[in-house]
Amino acid sequence: MKNKIAIVTGANAGIGKATALKLAEMGAHVVMVCRNKKRGEKALLEIQEIANKKNLDLMLCDFASLKSINNFVKEFKNKYQRLDVLINNHGLVSLIKSKTEEKIETTFAVNHLGYFSLTLQLLDVLKASAPSRIVNVSSSANYRIRKLEIDDYNCDKRNYQFMKAYQESKLYNIMFSFLLAEKLQGTNITVNCLHPGFVKTQIGLNNFFLKLLTPLAKYKGVTPDEGARTSIYLATSPEMEGVTSKYYHKMKERDPNKLAFDKEAQKKLWNLSLKLTNLQFNI
Ligand SMILES: NC(=O)c1ccc[n+]([C@@H]2O[C@H](COP(=O)([O-])OP(=O)(O)OC[C@H]3O[C@@H](n4cnc5c(N)ncnc54)[C@H](OP(=O)(O)O)[C@@H]3O)[C@@H](O)[C@H]2O)c1
C-alpha cells in the first residue's frame, strides 16, 4: 500500500479506527474522516502511537449534512491529487426519528446519502488514480427487509422503526454498490460491499434500549480488528484486483438480500439520491 492514498470514513471509532490503523501499518497514507475534531484527534494520536507512522491525516466531515460533505470534498481535492481507496464505513443507528438540516430522515441521510454523495464527488479523482477501489461497509441487517419502500425514504407515511430504518439503509448500501459498479465498467474503479460481522463497537449504544444489548455484544461480538478484516481484504488484496459488484462476509463472496438485485429499485434509489444531493453523474 506504499504511495497509496486511502480515505476511511468514521475512522475515530470501532471498525473504521481498526481499518485506518491496519491500512497505515500496511504503508498507505490514510485520511481519517471524522465528524468530531476532539474524538478524531484522540484516535489519530492513538493510531500514530501504535503504527508509529506520520502518514495519517485527519479531516472533518459530518455526513448528516450535505453541505459538510461538499466542503470536505473541496478541501480534500485542494490537498490531494489522487485517491486509491475509498472506504465508506461511517454509520449510525438512530433510536428517535429526526431530520437533517436538509430535512432528510437522519438514518437514510447519513448511512446512504453520505456514502452516495461522497463517492460521486470523488469519482473524478478515483478515475484519475485507477486502478482504484471503493469499499462500502453494509451489514447483514440488509436481509431483514422484505419489501422496498424507497418512496417513503423520510418515513412520513409509516411509523418510524429505528432498526427498520437501519436495515433499509444497509440494503441501500448494497444496491448503490451494485449499480455504481455497473456504471463504472471500463474505468478500472471497482466497487464492493461487505458485512463486517457482529463486532464489539459502540454502534447504537448511544441510547438506553440498545445499551441493554451491550452484554450480548461483549459476549458474542468479535474485536474491531477482526471486524475490519473484510474491509482491508477488499481494499488491498491482490486477489480482489478487477473484482467488482460483490457482497462479502469473512473475506468470502455471499449472496445478499435478493431485493438488492432489483434493477428498477436500484435505479429509483439512484435517481432519488441524485435529486436529493443535487449531483450529476459524470464519468
Ligand atoms: N458493529 C457491528 O456489529 C456492525 C455490524 C454490521 C455492520 N456494521 C457497520 O460497520 C460500520 C462501522 O460501525 P461500527 O460498528 O464501527 O460503529 P461505531 O463504533 O459506532 O463507529 C461508527 C463511526 O461512524 C461515525 N459517524 C456516525 N455518524 C456520523 C456522521 N453523521 N458523520 C460522520 N461520522 C459519523 C462515528 O463517529 P462518532 O464517534 O463521532 O459518533 C464513528 O466514527 C457501520 O457502517 C455499521 O453499519 C457494524
Side-chain angles (χ1 to χ4, degrees), residues 9-17 33-36 39 61-65 88-93 106 110-111 115 137-141 166 170 173 194-205 224:
T9 70
N12 62 286
I15 300 163
K17 187 174 159 197
V33 184
C34 305
R35 69 171 149 178
N36 179 286
R39 287 198 290 274
C61 179
D62 181 354
F63 288 96
S65 158
N88 286 306
N89 163 87
H90 69 269
L92 55 69
V93 173
T106 303
V110 173
N111 291 6
Y115 285 21
V137 180
S138 172
S139 165
S140 62
Y166 177 74
K170 291 287 125 181
N173 293 159
L194 68 123
H195 167 54
F198 186 37
V199 189
K200 282 183 262 190
T201 69
Q202 289 301 306
I203 194 157
L205 297 179

Side-chain angles (χ1 to χ4, degrees), residues 33 45 61 70 77-78 90 97 101 110 112 124 143 155-156 161 173 179 201 203 215 227 233 239 253 265 269:
V33 184
L45 283 176
C61 179
N70 299 346
K77 287 182 182 175
N78 279 338
H90 69 269
K97 180 179 171 183
E101 63 192 22
V110 173
H112 165 63
D124 52 353
Y143 294 111
C155 282
D156 286 335
Q161 293 171 290
N173 293 159
L179 187 54
T201 69
I203 194 157
Y233 177 75
E239 286 169 26
E253 189 189 344
L269 179 67

Side-chain angles (χ1 to χ4, degrees), residues 7 19 30 44 71 78 81 86 101 109 113 120 162 168-169 180 182 184 191 216 222 235 241 256 258 262 270:
I7 284 181
T19 305
V30 184
L44 176 72
N71 288 340
N78 279 338
Q81 275 68 55
L86 167 62
E101 63 192 22
L113 284 185
L120 252 66
F162 69 96
E168 284 177 339
S169 72
L180 180 64
E182 194 182 307
L184 292 180
V191 191
L216 179 66
V222 300
E241 221 173 277
K258 61 180 186 322
D262 182 333
W270 181 276

Side-chain angles (χ1 to χ4, degrees), residues 114-172:
Y115 285 21
F116 183 90
S117 174
L118 180 65
T119 305
L120 252 66
Q121 295 191 68
L122 290 173
L123 284 179
D124 52 353
V125 207
L126 284 159
K127 192 177 169 200
S129 318
S132 49
R133 301 184 187 189
I134 300 167
V135 176
N136 291 326
V137 180
S138 172
S139 165
S140 62
N142 82 86
Y143 294 111
R144 294 274 175 184
I145 299 301
R146 295 274 159 268
K147 185 177 152 236
L148 287 162
E149 295 180 77
I150 297 169
D151 286 329
D152 193 20
Y153 64 92
N154 260 347
C155 282
D156 286 335
K157 297 183 189 128
R158 52 193 165 133
N159 285 336
Y160 176 77
Q161 293 171 290
F162 69 96
M163 277 315 288
K164 192 158 186 226
Y166 177 74
Q167 290 154 3
E168 284 177 339
S169 72
K170 291 287 125 181
L171 176 57
Y172 296 162

Side-chain angles (χ1 to χ4, degrees), residues 53-79:
K53 292 262 161 59
K54 293 286 170 215
N55 53 344
L56 284 145
D57 192 2
L58 170 67
M59 294 183 78
L60 299 180
C61 179
D62 181 354
F63 288 96
S65 158
L66 294 172
K67 221 190 284 168
S68 175
I69 302 173
N70 299 346
N71 288 340
F72 163 75
V73 171
K74 267 190 215 124
E75 280 173 36
F76 177 84
K77 287 182 182 175
N78 279 338
K79 213 166 172 185

